[in-house]
Amino acid sequence: MLLPFEPYNPKWKKQFESIKLELQFLLKSLNPQIDHIGSTAVEGLSAKPIIDIQIGLGNETDLDRLPALLKLPNIVYYEKYNQDWPERRFFILLKEPLYKINVPDIVKIADDIPAILHDHDLRIAHLHAFVKGSSDWTRHLALRDYLIAHPAIRESYQELKEKLTQLDWRDGNDYNKGKDLFLKAQEKIALAWHKGRMQ
């Protein structure tokens, strides 16, 4: 599959702010920190037009409470991914209600992912939940801020993404593996940079 890829669009920030308000209302009992992450959060960087949102929670108990609270007609919870990444809870926000495209609200561990859910044109946002202060939570914020602050690195990433999006991928996870080597190297630098800023 060829993934959608668009030049930076200021509307992505507005989309994030709108979704954030809805999430704050749904999750007010958890007092989450909600951040815009990923390429759509970096001005000037092209991206798949899907908003990556990080939900930071106080502890693991809150993480386990999240699926019951994040109930909207167009949200799918990927419980399936918990076995590979137990520190994260992952959801997708779709353009259509689930009943219209005949998909479940939970993809359970033993389930196959319905083929239609691989269609990125149906997605509005990816929701990634972690405990605040955890390594993954920090890593996402550090990389975002590092790319914003370092135009040369951002341009290198842009060039890589342009090459990768010309290729045919099995799914979005497969595409992410193509970026992995670059991102892992930059994340290490970004984390050191971020730590220095916090001191």
Side-chain angles (χ1 to χ4, degrees):
M1 66 184 290
L2 291 174
L3 295 169
F5 188 67
E6 297 179 5
Y8 177 80
N9 193 325
K11 78 174 183 180
W12 292 338
K13 184 176 181 181
K14 293 176 183 176
Q15 280 183 290
F16 163 72
E17 293 295 345
S18 175
I19 297 166
K20 179 180 177 179
L21 286 175
E22 191 165 21
L23 292 175
Q24 284 174 325
F25 176 77
L26 285 172
L27 305 177
K28 58 188 172 186
S29 63
L30 300 182
N31 190 30
Q33 177 176 327
I34 300 172
D35 293 288
H36 191 181
I37 61 168
S39 295
T40 60
V42 179
E43 188 172 342
L45 197 59
S46 298
K48 299 188 303 291
I50 300 168
I51 311 302
D52 279 299
I53 296 174
Q54 180 163 269
I55 302 170
L57 299 172
N59 52 56
E60 290 181 8
T61 301
D62 286 351
L63 205 59
D64 289 333
R65 291 175 60 200
L66 189 62
L69 295 172
L70 263 185
K71 291 290 188 182
L72 288 174
N74 58 335
I75 280 188
V76 178
Y77 168 41
Y78 278 63
E79 183 185 69
K80 185 178 188 73
Y81 290 170
N82 294 0
Q83 59 186 348
D84 294 325
W85 199 346
E87 300 84 10
R88 178 185 75 158
R89 300 294 176 271
F90 179 72
F91 306 78
I92 59 173
L93 182 66
L94 298 170
K95 296 174 182 175
E96 298 280 354
L98 305 182
Y99 75 87
K100 281 195 173 183
I101 54 174
N102 194 29
V103 295
D105 62 343
I106 300 175
V107 179
K108 296 186 177 177
I109 289 173
D111 294 347
D112 290 327
I113 298 171
I116 195 169
L117 290 180
H118 293 299
D119 183 350
H120 282 234
D121 288 331
L122 290 176
R123 301 182 182 194
I124 298 171
H126 295 158
L127 312 179
H128 313 258
F130 300 95
V131 173
K132 281 185 282 188
S134 65
S135 60
D136 287 312
W137 180 86
T138 303
R139 175 174 61 85
H140 287 135
L141 297 178
L143 183 62
R144 177 200 66 189
D145 294 346
Y146 181 73
L147 289 171
I148 290 170
H150 295 83
I153 303 302
R154 183 172 66 242
E155 186 57 34
S156 294
Y157 187 32
Q158 170 77 11
E159 290 171 6
L160 172 64
K161 285 158 66 84
E162 286 175 1
K163 289 176 186 173
L164 293 176
T165 53
Q166 301 305 310
L167 303 176
D168 197 3
W169 299 95
R170 185 170 52 86
D171 57 31
N173 292 330
D174 206 24
Y175 163 74
N176 287 337
K177 288 175 187 172
K179 302 184 297 181
D180 203 49
L181 191 62
F182 176 89
L183 288 178
K184 287 285 190 293
Q186 295 306 321
E187 280 169 358
K188 288 180 182 177
I189 300 167
L191 283 166
W193 173 82
H194 177 77
K195 185 176 180 181
R197 293 174 72 217
M198 297 297 108
Q199 290 175 346

